[in-house]
Amino acid sequence: MDKKKYVGRSIVRKDGEEKVKGSSIYTDDIILSGLLFAGVYRSNVESGKIIKLGIEKAKKVPGVKAVLTYKDIPGRNLVPVVFDDQPLLVEKRIRYYGEPIALIAAESYEAIEEAKDKIEIEVEKEPRVITIEESIKKKHIVNKRFSENIFQEYHIKRGGVKEAFQNADLIIKNKYSTNYQEHAYLETQSMVASHDLNGRFSIFGSMQCPFYVQEGVATILGIDLSRVTVNLMTTGGAFGGKEDVPSIVAEIAALLSYKTKKPVKYILSREEDISVMSKRHPAYIEYESAFSKNGALLGVKVNYYLDAGAYSTLTPIVLWRGVIHAIGPYTCDAVEINGYGMATNKVPCGAYRGFGTPQIIFAGESQMDIAAEKLGIDPVKIREINAFKKGDITATGQKLKDSIGIRDTIRVGKKEFKWSARKDKIEKFNAKNKYKKRGIGAASMFYGVGLGARGGPLQKGSALISISKDGSVQFAVGTTEMGQGMYTVLSQIAADYFGISVENVSPSRVTTEKVSDSGPTVASRATFISGNAIKLAAERLKSNLIKFMIKKGIVKKGSKIEFKNEKIYETGRFIIGFKELSEKAWLNRVKMIEASWYLPSMTTYNNKNGQGDAYVVYSYTTNFVEIEVDLVTYQTTVISLYSAEEFGKAINPTLAEGQIEGGTVQGIGYSLYEDMILEGGKILSNNFSTYLIPTIMDIGELKPIIVEKPFEEGPFGAKGMGEMPLMAIAPAIGNAIYSATKKRLFNLPLRSEDLYNEFKNK
Amino acid sequence: MNNIFINVNNLNDLLTAKNEYGKKAKILAGGTDLVVRMKNKMMDPEVIISIRKVDELKGIHSKKNDLIIGSLTTHSEIEENSSIKKNYYPLFQAVYSLGSPQIRNLGTIGGNIGNASPSGDTIPPLYIMDAKIKLMSKNGERIVDIKNFFKGPGKTILKDDEIIHSIIIPKGRWTKKISGFYKVGKRNALAIGVVSVAWIIKEDTIRFSFGGVSPTISTTEIKKNANKKKVEKEVLKAISPIDDIRGSKNYRRDVILNIVEKIKNDNP
């Protein structure tokens, strides 16, 4: 019998104690001899040409050690992502407000501020593109390389769309728009760069993707990748905001360090961070759906536009994920989806939990509710009618084979939420209350796990595991711990493969020195990719130990060997303790270290027709929400929010629930509170007194519900789940507002003022 | 950038310092506003006078006819005072919903008044309770009606050598039953009011004061039996809302009208 298994148990997180005690070491805690601070002089126009730039006076400020422009870059002036169109420093043309022009290293922040004041600049303003509409109309071409202002476009076509709409009983056509969302991680972007031995560079920082940062630093300095080591510090939240932009932060620190020959720390203030770092793309969506009178989704036509900002960064991939998921978790045989990533003279957008999908889900799931009402079908029922079953085909023509949990999330969530009983209770409440109206809403979604076909060469993972002579196990992976709990989850997985106590498993600091490029820590992929990589390495090590035991005659060849309860069993009979075996193996010079290489199943995508097996597998969520609208102020408050999520297997249920709760709160913020305000391309709401995220007083009752449907290829059946909790909150709340007030809002966030205007303009 | 920082230990030293530096000096009480403005480079006073050790300005005292609140009394202290919670209920509600616990622990009522923000939370309740403000300088003191204290957003009648000594509220029984404070923020905690309303019932009349809808706090009185049209007319006479980052003119106007109507309906 297995006394101890860790997978499926809510053990305390490995880094829990140090986080609670405040003893975790963050980038800002790094102090090195001769450390300098970095600052960035940025543009104050959205679009223009630099005519003159004078840095001599700034250089003379006491305490200032370097003032650099693009001319000082020894390598390529580039932030490498997908299309390589973004320079680190402006050469001539400014394309967004806050674009870096000069870098300053100094002994104090006061000296940096003084140096910024002493930089002399003359800029000739040029026409600017602020909205998606202006970009489409080509009011100005943001970057001549993209002559139509389109960074990337995708077209998915499947089935007879024209016929589907001709045969439909109901056609619903609407326009939707969504605003930015700021990541609001607790720790702002931060990096330290320092010289190492023999012309090597060491980077320490807060990030999701050490291998992106490595490439960025090598590119800007013009040195070999293998001369750059990137080390992960404790990372205080990321949510996608530390996928691509940490490369910029590290390049700045590294360039200044290279020039001054001193270690350099660059930490952004909250205001700078919100103003110039990446965000969720604003979107404009035209969504047309065709239904039969019994509620079947017959056809969908979508035009999806993302406001990418001035450089393409991750837009090609963000947009791709959005179009793949545009229909939602529903069977639909006639599909036409067009996606466009549009250039504007604004801060470049990038990755954010959900990656181009929450915007389109808001539209699709609102459409679903509108259809339900028009057809007189319950909103949950219409989702059940259309939800994927085994063997169904996605919009990209992918046949779903395994671990399809959408119907389970609807069924379990509906029951726990008491959908029907709640409906009756609300009717009574609303009849009694003049100024408060309650409503309920639901929304479903699916989400491809891992990078998918557009991730190309990045779909891989590596692990390095070693067993010490005392029987403790150390593992290294290429994905990062950023607060989500990866160290703990992977330790649980490793502990169970070796059958040892999780106390004896130790994750080592993530660094580019230990494993090969394992791709980014994004796309809800860390558990799946690194978990599988750990499995492979553990199997190799166990095989080394078994071979050794056979050689020594401890066990017989061909018999069933099990590793469990910190012991080794042969056909059920205790043979030796794991610790004792480790010591014996060490004495006999057995290989106690193994690296693995994991490649997930093949994915495909045909750019011509938008067809292919886009992702290895999908995870599923249905949200149920009750809200209250105050008719005095038109404000909406969440009463309770249930999230039923299916992601294969919860390795650590408490951590998974933590992800669900955190994501839900971010989703509530995206729905009701977070409203980025700009003046042209300048972000005005650049701190937390103007950019409002929900507080504990604003979130109501949260109830995470985990539904398990193991996936064969996943470690212990796990898929991925980090992003889902946020993604379908907004339409659920929008639908609930409709159910309370009979007013529908088509723009995110769902502003009190917009609801007020709906009441006014009735 | 190179500010002079003066730490005064008593009222006399404070008045002397204020007399000497006048306009050049800014008072540091809780610092919840001043420090933020300095950080954001919106303000860079030559002299900062920290008054945090001036005990004469602290505390809530009950006198025969008045309740006296020292200007250096924090919002938390007001929030925790049982007499204020019971008999000065609108003020309790205002400090209860003000900022966050951290801000309430540092921020003072004198600071909230001295800032003269159109959305200063404590001001509407003080208006309807006919509060007076005691001002003091090296050369004497004066007591002014709160309604005459404000000149516009951020502007008061405070002279260069004067400080806010205390707030004097005539004794009353403004309980939960007959009074209240209604703040519309963009979230339930840590939000600046888009609009706010304080109200008191006096026999057949409801007295209202409004925050966030005019350059300073505005007030009006409405008969309980007034019809909707009359109510609207009176309210619109009192307020002059503007569009800003937190809300439009029309939204502010109509939310104020809704709140007034609701309070009227709730108190027939």
Side-chain angles (χ1 to χ4, degrees), chain B residues 5-153:
Chain B
F5 189 87
I6 301 170
N7 210 350
V8 294
N9 292 314
N10 58 55
L11 183 58
N12 193 44
D13 289 358
L14 164 60
L15 297 176
T16 305
K18 193 69 176 133
N19 192 54
E20 190 181 337
Y21 294 105
K23 198 156 51 183
K24 288 186 219 162
K26 269 286 184 187
I27 301 279
L28 175 73
T32 56
D33 200 72
L34 178 65
V35 174
V36 175
R37 284 185 202 220
M38 287 177 67
K39 182 192 157 206
N40 293 341
K41 298 183 182 174
M42 291 158 72
M43 200 179 259
D44 193 16
E46 259 184 78
V47 180
I48 298 163
I49 305 174
S50 171
I51 61 169
R52 297 180 67 175
K53 290 181 185 158
V54 182
D55 291 339
E56 293 101 310
L57 299 179
K58 291 177 187 169
I60 300 162
H61 313 285
S62 184
K63 293 282 155 64
K64 196 172 165 220
N65 298 317
D66 300 308
L67 184 80
I68 316 278
I69 305 176
S71 60
L72 202 55
T73 310
T74 65
H75 302 302
S76 295
E77 285 160 352
I78 297 171
E79 185 187 344
E80 285 154 16
N81 184 289
S82 56
S83 157
I84 287 179
K85 187 171 179 181
K86 194 173 165 211
N87 290 323
Y88 305 84
Y89 190 65
L91 181 61
F92 164 76
Q93 275 191 304
V95 291
Y96 179 75
S97 66
L98 189 152
S100 62
Q102 295 90 329
I103 289 171
R104 293 200 287 274
N105 284 341
L106 279 176
T108 64
I109 189 164
N112 199 240
I113 292 168
N115 264 331
S117 160
S119 46
D121 284 324
T122 61
I123 308 172
L126 295 175
Y127 256 69
I128 45 165
M129 296 188 298
D130 293 321
K132 291 182 172 57
I133 300 179
K134 186 168 165 182
L135 309 175
M136 212 178 254
S137 74
K138 191 94 186 152
N139 306 310
E141 59 176 64
R142 55 178 176 147
I143 292 173
V144 297
D145 198 306
I146 192 165
K147 294 182 185 71
N148 299 323
F149 181 71
F150 301 103
K151 291 203 292 192

Side-chain angles (χ1 to χ4, degrees), chain A residues 6 46 171 222 370 435 675 693 727 740:
Chain A
Y6 292 96
E46 293 88 347
I171 291 171
I370 296 167
Y435 297 107
D675 203 2
I693 59 173
M727 295 169 53

Side-chain angles (χ1 to χ4, degrees), chain A residues 366-379:
Chain A
S366 299
Q367 291 283 106
M368 202 44 95
D369 244 53
I370 296 167
E373 204 211 13
K374 295 215 188 258
L375 295 168
I377 301 172
D378 179 85

Side-chain angles (χ1 to χ4, degrees), chain A residues 375-390:
Chain A
L375 295 168
I377 301 172
D378 179 85
V380 175
K381 182 80 197 159
I382 199 167
R383 290 177 168 87
E384 278 175 329
I385 291 170
N386 293 290
F388 284 142
K389 298 184 299 293
K390 192 171 174 151

Side-chain angles (χ1 to χ4, degrees), chain A residues 551-568:
Chain A
K551 197 173 138 199
K552 288 278 162 188
I554 302 172
V555 298
K556 278 193 227 70
K557 200 174 175 178
S559 62
K560 190 188 166 205
I561 308 294
E562 282 176 287
F563 288 68
K564 59 185 186 186
N565 307 335
E566 301 175 59
K567 298 177 184 76
I568 285 80

Side-chain angles (χ1 to χ4, degrees), chain A residues 113 271 434-435 630-635 637 673 677 684 688 692-693 695 697-698 752-753 756 760, chain B residues 39-41 182 184-189 245 247-248 250-251 253-255 258-259 261-262 265-266:
Chain A
E113 288 309 308
E271 286 79 2
K434 186 174 171 191
Y435 297 107
D630 183 335
L631 291 184
V632 172
T633 62
Y634 311 96
Q635 287 176 325
T637 311
Y673 297 99
I677 295 164
L684 299 180
F688 292 141
L692 302 185
I693 59 173
T695 70
M697 306 287 283
D698 303 301
S752 308
E753 270 219 56
Y756 155 76
K760 275 277 138 185
Chain B
K39 182 192 157 206
N40 293 341
K41 298 183 182 174
Y182 206 117
V184 182
K186 290 209 145 186
R187 65 183 165 195
N188 291 322
I245 195 163
S248 72
N250 291 347
Y251 174 72
R253 180 195 64 211
D254 287 349
V255 167
N258 286 350
I259 294 171
E261 195 208 300
K262 180 175 187 292
N265 284 348
D266 289 348

